[in-house]
Amino acid sequence: MIQLEPVSGVFNRERALQATYPMRMLIVREGSGFLCMNSGDHELLEKRIFFIPEEGLVRLEGRIKSGYWLNFSSMLYAEFLLQHLDPLAKNLFLNLSYRDLSPQESIKTYSLLDQLKKEIDAKKDLRFLAQYLSLFLGYTAGLDGYLAALTLDELQQVLRFRAILDQYYREERAIQFYAEGMGMSVGKLNKFLDRVLGKSLTVLIKDRIMREAEELLLHSDFSVDQISRILGFEQTNKFLTSFRRHRGISVLQFSRLV
């Protein structure tokens, strides 16, 4: 589902970089030369990160002293798209694009990649890796502006929270559960989430549940009663009421819209 490998050395156009999965990124920390594709050549510069479309082979010409080659499945990318409705997110890998990182952004990016490599090697749960990748893409693509102001430790805390939430939101509603998982008091966790995400834990749990409800209504054959049970509601009426409050329309109206 995801591969991340360090890349370094002298390259020529004769050998293409191999990727098992369709979504591809090249992160250059130190290097010079060109990234070569059918669409043309693109200059390799230090602290430049490339978002590469599925079509076409990727060849390098030049020297990379330090870099990473990342590729991952469309399924993992789907989690990022669920969290980012901005058209820029959907078009991120449509054509080859790149972003030049500031020195501080580059340091954070490489620290995140080093940690991601450890998590992949440790065979972490796929849901955890999906959350990690989503945060990484949002940060490096500049779509989550609030992340730029966070320290590396705070970024890791956001990641840990997202992973815990994504694993337990269906059955766990208690604020204390998430606070213990984060190693914080309830008050400290809520202050942290309000500062970095602008929402309380209660709201974030409800948002995650309703996002899953929308996905199940759109892309599954489950009945409303079944979806209600899957999401941990004791009664279907409670689910219907929560959905209306969240979306401003009923489940039936939502289903008709799509």
Side-chain angles (χ1 to χ4, degrees), residues 50-109:
F50 290 90
F51 305 91
I52 304 170
E54 181 177 357
E55 294 78 11
L57 296 176
V58 177
R59 304 177 189 274
L60 300 179
E61 184 173 277
R63 180 174 184 269
I64 294 181
K65 185 175 181 180
S66 178
Y68 265 118
W69 176 240
L70 171 65
N71 62 99
F72 49 92
S73 68
S74 299
M75 189 181 82
L76 290 181
Y77 184 50
E79 176 61 30
F80 169 71
L81 294 179
L82 285 174
Q83 296 184 28
H84 298 80
L85 301 179
D86 189 324
L88 292 175
K90 294 181 180 180
N91 296 332
L92 190 57
F93 291 92
L94 188 62
N95 299 299
L96 188 140
S97 62
Y98 60 83
R99 182 166 178 259
D100 292 322
L101 305 174
S102 69
Q104 187 61 31
E105 287 174 329
S106 179
I107 292 172
K108 290 182 183 179
T109 295

Side-chain angles (χ1 to χ4, degrees), residues 17-258:
L17 294 178
Q18 299 300 307
T20 303
Y21 304 107
M23 322 307 294
R24 302 172 293 177
M25 295 175 66
L26 177 67
I27 300 93
V28 181
R29 190 174 193 178
E30 295 181 69
S32 60
F34 295 93
L35 183 152
C36 311
M37 296 186 67
N38 294 337
S39 60
D41 296 349
H42 307 269
E43 190 173 7
L44 299 175
L45 292 177
E46 294 184 0
K47 304 177 183 63
R48 175 165 286 184
I49 184 166
F50 290 90
F51 305 91
I52 304 170
E54 181 177 357
E55 294 78 11
L57 296 176
V58 177
R59 304 177 189 274
L60 300 179
E61 184 173 277
R63 180 174 184 269
I64 294 181
K65 185 175 181 180
S66 178
Y68 265 118
W69 176 240
L70 171 65
N71 62 99
F72 49 92
S73 68
S74 299
M75 189 181 82
L76 290 181
Y77 184 50
E79 176 61 30
F80 169 71
L81 294 179
L82 285 174
Q83 296 184 28
H84 298 80
L85 301 179
D86 189 324
L88 292 175
K90 294 181 180 180
N91 296 332
L92 190 57
F93 291 92
L94 188 62
N95 299 299
L96 188 140
S97 62
Y98 60 83
R99 182 166 178 259
D100 292 322
L101 305 174
S102 69
Q104 187 61 31
E105 287 174 329
S106 179
I107 292 172
K108 290 182 183 179
T109 295
Y110 259 78
S111 294
L112 289 172
L113 284 169
D114 289 342
Q115 186 60 39
L116 177 57
K117 186 69 168 65
K118 293 177 182 177
E119 306 292 3
I120 294 171
D121 291 343
K123 302 186 186 305
K124 277 293 182 71
D125 183 271
L126 194 60
R127 287 176 296 183
F128 177 86
L129 294 177
Q131 290 300 316
Y132 204 122
L133 184 64
S134 180
L135 179 141
F136 177 75
L137 287 175
Y139 176 73
T140 54
L143 296 173
D144 293 335
Y146 70 93
L147 294 176
L150 301 183
T151 66
L152 183 60
D153 182 64
E154 288 171 332
L155 284 170
Q156 296 286 3
Q157 291 282 58
V158 170
L159 169 65
R160 179 174 176 79
F161 170 75
R162 285 185 177 179
I164 294 173
L165 178 64
D166 203 62
Q167 185 171 358
Y168 294 106
Y169 71 92
R170 291 184 177 184
E171 61 264 23
E172 289 290 347
R173 305 287 199 271
I175 297 175
Q176 185 65 38
F177 172 84
Y178 293 94
E180 290 177 357
M182 291 292 292
M184 299 180 180
S185 67
V186 169
K188 184 176 180 180
L189 177 58
N190 263 325
K191 286 180 180 178
F192 174 75
L193 295 175
D194 182 63
R195 179 168 60 84
V196 301
L197 299 178
K199 295 180 180 180
S200 69
L201 177 56
T202 300
V203 171
L204 289 166
I205 293 172
K206 288 180 179 178
D207 285 351
R208 184 64 184 90
I209 292 169
M210 289 301 115
R211 179 157 66 83
E212 183 68 7
E214 292 174 7
E215 281 299 301
L216 291 173
L217 288 167
L218 288 172
H219 304 298
S220 80
D221 295 325
F222 293 123
S223 68
V224 173
D225 286 339
Q226 289 173 317
I227 291 173
S228 174
R229 289 194 295 271
I230 288 170
L231 296 177
F233 289 89
E234 294 179 0
Q235 300 176 3
T236 301
N237 283 341
K238 289 185 178 180
F239 166 63
L240 295 174
T241 299
S242 293
F243 190 90
R244 179 184 285 274
R245 287 176 178 171
H246 181 82
R247 286 283 307 190
I249 57 176
S250 69
V251 166
L252 181 59
Q253 290 170 319
F254 176 79
S255 299
R256 286 174 176 171
L257 286 175
V258 296

